[in-house]
Amino acid sequence: MKHILVIHTGGTISMETDAENDTVNIGATNPLTKATEELHKLANLTVKEPLHKPSPHITINDMIKLKALIESECANGDIDGVVITHGTDTMEETAFFLDLTLDTDIPIIMTGAMRSSNESGSDGLYNFMAAIRTAVQEDSKGKGLLVVFNDEIHTAREVTKIHTTNASAFHSVTTGPIGTITNKAIHFHYAPLQQPKIKIIEITKKVGLVKAYAGMDASILNAYSELKYDGIVIEALGQGNLPPSVAEGIKKLLSENIPVVLVSRCFKGVVQDTYSYPGGGGELKKLGVIFCKGLNGQKARLKLLAALMHTSNIEVLRDQYFSN
């Protein structure tokens, strides 16, 4: 029987509904801790609960804490896989950060729930069991961190939360799920490309995230400059375009050696330097903006945070960390 490290961090999967007030909140204890006792037939489980908080309360330091815990527990080589339960609001960010910074081939699976533990139709225990089943599969090795939700398996790079309440809240919009789960088997459809790892011990940088909109000006970028941020990610329009009035703010940031990373606010497609009009991707690339292909804004921000712990040189960031 395989040895699986279970890490509970909180989230809806560990919460309960208060019927009187029609609200969901954190209880004194995590109901999954007791449920775990019924799951030992699937694997030999070691359970840790370093956090017990809703995912909007998760910080970058919490993510680093989880990374250190996984590395410490797996150091002696007797852990065959890891399952992390987590709130759904920031699940994709924690998943991506761990996938980016953990260098291991063992399966690391993250899951959660859209309905609290005592709610009718609760999906938490089912998703938890599916995650453990995935973690013990030999085929799960070497695929990076995987998110298991509603009988689907997604890569940390591609998955995103697309619905506020639906039990099928997580999708890989561009690629689709890497695998599916039935009551009898785990089925993988393809092997994903692995992203290069970035080694970090701590994060001391500040990176902002801005969403572009029609009529946007440079004022918010100027504010980030005054606040001494170390980098900015912009979710641009379409293929990577911005209103022309934003360009002056970008020039100011770049002149202060504050890197600007561009992604698209669209769910599908990549940014590229197609248009040469003022504010178009062609002009932005000439200014020195870094184009990040295939990541959404919140994931590009985490990647820039990690990369900035190694270098603030914009050309190095572009060529070594954002070239793929």
Side-chain angles (χ1 to χ4, degrees), residues 92 95-96 99 145-147 154-159 195 299:
E92 66 187 88
F96 180 80
D99 186 60
L145 191 145
L146 302 174
V147 172
H154 301 269
T155 65
R157 179 182 173 88
E158 297 294 337
V159 74
Q195 61 178 339
K299 293 179 183 178

Side-chain angles (χ1 to χ4, degrees), residues 155-167:
T155 65
R157 179 182 173 88
E158 297 294 337
V159 74
T160 191
K161 186 177 181 181
I162 66 162
H163 201 285
T164 57
T165 57
N166 197 292

Side-chain angles (χ1 to χ4, degrees), residues 152-214:
E152 292 183 338
I153 307 171
H154 301 269
T155 65
R157 179 182 173 88
E158 297 294 337
V159 74
T160 191
K161 186 177 181 181
I162 66 162
H163 201 285
T164 57
T165 57
N166 197 292
S168 182
F170 286 86
H171 284 226
S172 295
V173 180
T174 298
T175 63
I178 188 178
T180 52
I181 300 169
T182 69
N183 62 344
K184 293 184 178 180
I186 309 294
H187 303 278
F188 283 102
H189 308 316
Y190 63 92
L193 296 174
Q194 293 299 298
Q195 61 178 339
K197 307 299 181 182
I198 302 179
K199 294 182 179 181
I200 61 98
I201 298 175
E202 61 178 354
I203 297 288
T204 60
K205 305 296 183 180
K206 294 194 300 181
V207 172
L209 175 59
V210 177
K211 193 181 190 91
Y213 54 86

Side-chain angles (χ1 to χ4, degrees), residues 96 105-106 124 150-151 175 209 212 217 234 305:
F96 180 80
D105 286 333
I106 69 169
N150 199 42
D151 283 337
T175 63
L209 175 59
D217 61 24
I234 303 177
L305 273 171

Side-chain angles (χ1 to χ4, degrees), residues 1 17-18 23-24 39 75 80 83 88-90 111 149 154 164 168 193 228 233 238 256 273 281 300 302 310:
M1 186 173 285
T17 298
D18 182 343
T23 59
V24 178
L39 301 175
D80 299 303
V83 170
T88 60
D89 285 352
T90 60
T111 194
F149 222 93
H154 301 269
T164 57
S168 182
L193 296 174
K228 305 300 181 184
V233 174
E256 297 167 352
D273 53 336
L302 290 168
H310 292 269

Side-chain angles (χ1 to χ4, degrees), residues 12-13 113-127:
T12 299
I13 194 171
M114 295 302 294
R115 303 184 183 115
S116 58
S117 62
N118 63 338
E119 191 174 348
S120 178
S122 175
D123 55 336
L125 183 57
Y126 182 88
N127 284 340

